[in-house]
């Protein structure tokens, strides 16, 4: 697939179990993306594993490796991490993916084209608990099989967006940064502000990740 200059931002804290799978899955769908790991004080092998994918400019180009930037963040908040990663991004498009999500389906050319009409495109998440795909209840029930424009969550009483797997134009994120003071659900607040400003958001179930359980993953608090 022709690379249209994609930067991938991965927020990570103690993700040694899955981050290698996350990065490999991105490389399976995108040729030579720029990957930016925002490391939130990991004390396991997260950084070491991410470095295994770092390309060496002295060696022949190999699609098993790519450009990796690893940066530490102090006083973490979800919005601050995303904004930081966005400002470091070199490319026109930014994919946000959690360090415990594995990309399963991604129609990059199609999604890039759709970004001409949408401020963000977020994907279908398959919850995986200790290797087992579980029934989509609670938060997971938002991730259905049909496209939805400006998804509204009756459960939360507001519009819904999820940054565990979401694609943006960098320009959009620069012009409309996330609230750095929020400790969670920065994506929902951002979505509601954008929709209030007459900008649309697309949920596309053809963009799919397996979202693996981790005790560090806020989505899994209370199992969704």
């Amino acid at each position: 697939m022709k690379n249209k200059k994609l930067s991938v931002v991965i927020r990570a804290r103690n993700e040694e179990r899955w981050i290698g799978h996350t990065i490999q899955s991105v490389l399976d769908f995108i040729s030579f993306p720029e990957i930016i790991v925002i490391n939130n004080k990991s004390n396991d092998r997260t950084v070491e594993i991410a470095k295994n994918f770092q390309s060496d400019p002295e060696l022949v180009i190999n699609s098993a490796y790519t450009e990796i930037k690893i940066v530490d963040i102090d006083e973490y908040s979800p919005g601050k991490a995303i904004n930081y990663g966005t400002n470091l991004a070199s490319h026109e498009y930014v994919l946000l993916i959690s360090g415990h999500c594995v990309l399963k389906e991604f129609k990059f050319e199609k999604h890039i084209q759709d970004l001409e009409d949408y401020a963000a495109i977020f994907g279908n998440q398959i919850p995986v608990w200790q290797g087992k795909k579980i029934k989509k209840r609670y938060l997971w029930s938002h991730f259905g099989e049909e496209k939805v424009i400006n998804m509204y969550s009756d459960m939360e009483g507001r519009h819904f967006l999820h940054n565990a797997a979401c694609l943006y134009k960098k320009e959009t994120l620069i012009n409309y940064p996330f609230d750095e003071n929020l400790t969670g659900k920065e994506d929902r607040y951002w979505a509601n502000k954008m929709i209030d400003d007459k900008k649309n958001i697309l949920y596309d179930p053809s963009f799919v990740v397996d979202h693996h359980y981790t005790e560090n993953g806020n989505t899994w608090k209370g199992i969704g």
Side-chain angles (χ1 to χ4, degrees):
M1 179 183 292
K2 183 180 179 182
N3 182 18
K4 284 186 179 278
K5 298 184 177 180
L6 179 73
S7 295
V8 181
V9 175
I10 303 173
R11 294 173 289 171
R13 177 177 173 83
N14 294 338
E15 294 284 9
E16 66 177 6
R17 174 67 181 87
W18 289 112
I19 194 165
H21 296 272
T22 301
I23 295 173
Q24 181 61 63
S25 73
V26 170
L27 295 180
D28 288 342
F29 285 92
I30 305 297
S31 298
F32 305 109
E34 172 188 59
I35 294 179
I36 303 165
V37 178
I38 307 297
N39 178 46
N40 178 21
K41 300 179 181 178
S42 296
N43 56 20
D44 63 358
R45 297 174 61 239
T46 294
V47 171
E48 175 189 345
I49 292 169
K51 287 180 177 179
N52 287 336
F53 296 88
Q54 175 67 61
S55 59
D56 186 337
E58 301 299 322
L59 300 178
V60 175
I61 293 175
N62 186 324
S63 60
Y65 302 90
T66 197
E67 180 183 359
I68 305 277
K69 297 177 181 178
I70 300 172
V71 294
D72 296 323
I73 188 170
D74 294 321
E75 299 179 0
Y76 174 89
S77 74
K80 182 178 180 181
I82 295 170
N83 295 341
Y84 188 15
T86 299
N87 281 293
L88 291 173
S90 304
H91 299 321
E92 183 178 359
Y93 303 99
V94 176
L95 171 65
L96 303 184
I97 186 168
S98 290
H100 43 269
C101 287
V102 175
L103 198 57
K104 306 298 287 188
E105 296 181 34
F106 192 62
K107 300 176 181 178
F108 185 43
E109 300 287 346
K110 173 183 178 298
H111 301 322
I112 291 299
Q113 184 176 359
D114 285 342
L115 275 181
E116 296 304 313
D117 298 317
Y118 299 99
I121 300 170
F122 70 107
N124 187 6
Q125 297 183 34
I126 311 298
V128 183
W129 172 270
Q130 299 179 349
K132 180 180 177 60
K133 293 180 179 179
I134 64 173
K135 184 176 180 180
K136 290 186 174 182
R137 298 182 296 172
Y138 310 116
L139 180 145
W140 304 108
S141 64
H142 294 91
F143 303 106
E145 299 303 320
E146 302 293 332
K147 284 186 178 181
V148 181
I149 298 172
N150 298 337
M151 181 183 291
Y152 188 84
S153 171
D154 291 329
M155 184 185 309
E156 295 191 352
R158 57 187 168 190
H159 288 98
F160 187 83
L161 171 71
H162 205 288
N163 272 335
C166 198
L167 185 66
Y168 301 87
K169 285 185 176 181
K170 176 181 176 179
E171 178 184 18
T172 300
L173 294 180
I174 293 296
N175 290 334
Y176 300 92
F178 288 94
D179 189 331
E180 298 188 357
N181 295 314
L182 297 172
T183 58
K185 295 183 173 59
E186 80 295 332
D187 34 23
R188 268 72 119 202
Y189 287 96
W190 187 90
N192 281 268
K193 178 179 178 181
M194 297 297 283
I195 292 167
D196 286 346
D197 286 347
K198 308 303 181 184
K199 296 175 175 60
N200 295 320
I201 291 169
L202 177 66
Y203 166 70
D204 187 344
S206 72
F207 169 12
V208 184
V209 296
D210 282 348
H211 191 138
H212 292 271
Y213 170 76
T214 169
E215 63 183 11
N216 299 308
N218 286 331
T219 303
W220 282 97
K221 300 299 190 258
I223 316 301

